[in-house]
Amino acid sequence: MALEDLTIRGAGNLLGPEQHGIVWEIGFEMYCEMLKDALVELKGQQEEPPWNVRVDIKIPQFIPEELLPAPADRISLYRRIARCRTFRQIKEIETILNDRFGDPPPTLQNLQRVRTLKVLAKDYLITEVIEWNKSLSVYTDAPRDVVAITSKLRPEQITPRQIEYNLRGMTAELFLQKFVGALIEGVS
């Protein structure tokens, strides 16, 4: 009887071609996410919302088609990376990808670094990271903490909410690698 109720109300055959109702309309992953949110709400638990940080760096960051030819596989990996809320989760995905494909291509490394930056941004109260001409601006409510751990990158200008770094002939990709590396060391 419970199975028939699921079919009528929208679960149906969750993984087969005969999906019904809401699962068919929004997709299985979104359905699971909504179900998880509903359970957290019913249990009265408070889940901390993700830290919002704007990252506007002009670097290629994508999963190459040569790595994962099937669009569904690439979309699934994009979603997995986007759902990471902790550095540990990012490292788990990196380990799986390294085991499966070896060294990731630079565009995938960039994607992972940007996600790592977004995850670690909360620890340093970073709200924005923006590339301008040949510099990069970091907006934060804790500039002293950020400057202390990124001192090797020699910030050019520091204000109460902004740190500006001159790329000094470095590519934005290399700067991001060093910046995120410094954040990781600071958290470790």
Side-chain angles (χ1 to χ4, degrees):
M1 184 141 136
L3 289 175
E4 184 64 28
D5 184 52
L6 281 174
T7 303
I8 292 168
R9 293 178 188 253
N13 183 352
L14 290 177
L15 301 175
E18 314 83 35
Q19 290 184 353
H20 299 289
I22 192 170
V23 174
W24 177 257
E25 304 260 333
I26 64 170
F28 182 70
E29 286 186 50
M30 179 61 89
Y31 176 76
C32 288
E33 191 71 28
M34 290 170 62
L35 190 59
K36 179 183 149 232
D37 292 345
L39 288 172
V40 165
E41 187 177 319
L42 283 173
K43 291 179 181 178
Q45 298 171 336
Q46 291 294 322
E47 190 172 281
E48 199 171 313
W51 182 258
N52 288 327
V53 60
R54 177 176 163 226
V55 177
D56 185 5
I57 302 175
K58 294 153 191 70
I59 59 173
Q61 44 181 314
F62 60 90
I63 302 165
E65 196 172 324
E66 301 80 45
L67 191 68
L68 287 172
D73 292 340
R74 285 194 310 278
I75 289 170
S76 177
L77 182 55
Y78 279 120
R79 285 180 176 159
R80 248 182 115 176
I81 291 170
R83 281 197 309 261
C84 289
R85 298 284 181 255
T86 66
F87 182 62
R88 192 179 121 253
Q89 291 171 330
I90 292 170
K91 291 307 286 178
E92 287 171 1
I93 290 176
E94 283 180 9
T95 301
I96 290 167
L97 292 174
N98 287 342
D99 289 347
R100 186 169 172 194
F101 302 110
D103 288 334
T107 57
L108 180 53
Q109 289 178 352
N110 291 341
L111 181 68
Q112 291 172 305
R113 284 187 190 115
V114 168
R115 186 65 206 157
T116 302
L117 173 58
K118 288 181 175 186
V119 166
L120 296 178
K122 183 176 183 177
D123 294 333
Y124 299 101
L125 304 177
I126 295 172
T127 57
E128 292 181 87
V129 178
I130 302 171
E131 180 184 355
W132 310 91
N133 288 336
K134 296 183 190 300
S135 65
L136 198 128
S137 295
V138 176
Y139 295 87
T140 175
D141 290 331
R144 287 187 180 145
D145 295 343
V146 175
V147 168
I149 62 164
T150 62
S151 61
K152 290 180 184 175
L153 297 172
R154 295 180 287 161
E156 187 144 301
Q157 183 178 1
I158 303 165
T159 66
R161 284 246 330 111
Q162 178 185 0
I163 307 162
E164 190 166 324
Y165 298 90
N166 185 324
L167 295 180
R168 291 186 179 84
M170 246 190 284
T171 64
E173 289 177 66
L174 181 57
F175 184 88
L176 179 65
Q177 178 183 349
K178 291 181 178 198
F179 186 77
V180 170
L183 294 181
I184 291 168
E185 283 181 28
V187 175
S188 300

